[in-house]
Amino acid sequence: MIGSMDGDLHRQLAAIPGVPILTINNGRLHLLKASAATTRRVQELQTAKMGLQPQERVVLERERQQDPNIIKAQLALEKKQQRKKKTVGKKKGPNPLSMKKKKKQQAGIAQAVKQAIKQAQPKPKSKQKKGQQRNE
């Protein structure tokens, strides 16, 4: 990293790819954007990585000289392998945790019986609280 306030030095350093430049403006450090030379160099490196390596080119040339139909068959095989097979699974039901529970009939009858018993019994008298007298 190079920090400088000199504009001429900035221009000279911008011509060198991969050199970060710092400046101070109003008491704050600022990192300048990557120069055009740096971005060009990065693009060159990326395109070089994407292309065929020299060893791969030699192998391909040898195979092309042997039989061009073999290459086509190999490419077709690779494409088939790359495709994902769609799996047809069985039909899935709803999430059981998001569903209401089904009420059982017997449980409903039991609740009705309990309510009937509750209504038939008289209400118990309330107990006295300490310090209070009954008004009779």
Side-chain angles (χ1 to χ4, degrees):
M1 280 195 178
I2 298 176
S4 173
M5 294 296 293
D6 187 18
D8 294 332
L9 183 60
H10 283 223
R11 277 185 239 104
Q12 290 174 358
L13 292 173
I16 303 170
V19 177
I21 302 171
L22 288 173
T23 61
I24 298 175
N25 191 6
N26 295 330
R28 294 190 176 129
L29 287 174
H30 293 278
L31 181 64
L32 296 181
K33 289 184 180 180
S35 64
T38 302
T39 54
R40 260 188 269 115
R41 179 69 178 145
V42 168
Q43 287 177 349
E44 289 172 4
L45 291 174
Q46 286 178 347
T47 54
K49 283 183 182 180
M50 288 183 189
L52 292 174
Q53 299 297 324
Q55 301 141 351
E56 293 172 339
R57 285 186 183 147
V58 171
V59 170
L60 281 177
E61 288 300 321
R62 261 192 255 144
E63 288 183 7
R64 283 184 188 157
Q65 290 173 358
Q66 289 176 0
D67 190 8
N69 293 332
I70 293 174
I71 295 172
K72 289 179 184 177
Q74 288 175 348
L75 291 175
L77 181 65
E78 288 176 7
K79 284 183 182 179
K80 285 182 182 178
Q81 290 174 351
Q82 288 177 352
R83 290 183 192 159
K84 291 183 180 179
K85 292 183 179 179
K86 291 185 180 180
T87 56
V88 178
K90 62 181 181 179
K91 188 174 181 181
K92 295 181 180 179
N95 182 357
L97 299 176
S98 67
M99 303 294 292
K100 282 188 174 181
K101 291 184 179 179
K102 292 183 179 178
K103 293 183 180 179
K104 296 181 181 177
Q105 248 185 354
Q106 292 177 354
I109 294 170
Q111 284 181 342
V113 170
K114 284 181 184 178
Q115 286 179 352
I117 292 172
K118 204 181 227 184
Q119 289 175 357
Q121 291 178 351
K123 291 185 180 179
K125 294 182 179 179
S126 61
K127 295 182 180 180
Q128 278 185 341
K129 293 182 182 176
K130 290 184 180 178
Q132 289 185 354
Q133 293 181 354
R134 271 191 177 173
N135 294 333
E136 292 181 18

